[in-house]
mmCIF file with all atom_site columns, all heavy atoms in Angstrom:
data_model
loop_
_atom_site.group_PDB
_atom_site.id
_atom_site.type_symbol
_atom_site.label_atom_id
_atom_site.label_alt_id
_atom_site.label_comp_id
_atom_site.label_asym_id
_atom_site.label_entity_id
_atom_site.label_seq_id
_atom_site.pdbx_PDB_ins_code
_atom_site.Cartn_x
_atom_site.Cartn_y
_atom_site.Cartn_z
_atom_site.occupancy
_atom_site.B_iso_or_equiv
_atom_site.pdbx_formal_charge
_atom_site.auth_seq_id
_atom_site.auth_comp_id
_atom_site.auth_asym_id
_atom_site.auth_atom_id
_atom_site.pdbx_PDB_model_num
ATOM 1  N N   . VAL A 1 75  ? -11.161 -10.027 23.271 1.00 0.00 ? 75  VAL A N   1
ATOM 2  C CA  . VAL A 1 75  ? -9.942  -9.517  22.621 1.00 0.00 ? 75  VAL A CA  1
ATOM 3  C C   . VAL A 1 75  ? -9.057  -10.655 22.119 1.00 0.00 ? 75  VAL A C   1
ATOM 4  O O   . VAL A 1 75  ? -8.433  -10.544 21.046 1.00 0.00 ? 75  VAL A O   1
ATOM 5  C CB  . VAL A 1 75  ? -9.161  -8.541  23.550 1.00 0.00 ? 75  VAL A CB  1
ATOM 6  C CG1 . VAL A 1 75  ? -8.593  -9.235  24.765 1.00 0.00 ? 75  VAL A CG1 1
ATOM 7  C CG2 . VAL A 1 75  ? -8.065  -7.828  22.783 1.00 0.00 ? 75  VAL A CG2 1
ATOM 8  N N   . ALA A 1 195 ? -5.511  20.285  26.162 1.00 0.00 ? 195 ALA A N   1
ATOM 9  C CA  . ALA A 1 195 ? -5.350  21.196  25.031 1.00 0.00 ? 195 ALA A CA  1
ATOM 10 C C   . ALA A 1 195 ? -5.116  22.623  25.513 1.00 0.00 ? 195 ALA A C   1
ATOM 11 O O   . ALA A 1 195 ? -4.309  23.359  24.943 1.00 0.00 ? 195 ALA A O   1
ATOM 12 C CB  . ALA A 1 195 ? -6.571  21.121  24.121 1.00 0.00 ? 195 ALA A CB  1
ATOM 13 N N   . SER A 1 257 ? 8.328   9.646   7.439  1.00 0.00 ? 257 SER A N   1
ATOM 14 C CA  . SER A 1 257 ? 8.531   8.195   7.452  1.00 0.00 ? 257 SER A CA  1
ATOM 15 C C   . SER A 1 257 ? 7.304   7.470   8.018  1.00 0.00 ? 257 SER A C   1
ATOM 16 O O   . SER A 1 257 ? 7.406   6.316   8.428  1.00 0.00 ? 257 SER A O   1
ATOM 17 C CB  . SER A 1 257 ? 9.772   7.848   8.271  1.00 0.00 ? 257 SER A CB  1
ATOM 18 O OG  . SER A 1 257 ? 9.616   8.340   9.587  1.00 0.00 ? 257 SER A OG  1
#
Side-chain angles (χ1 to χ4, degrees):
V75 66
S257 58

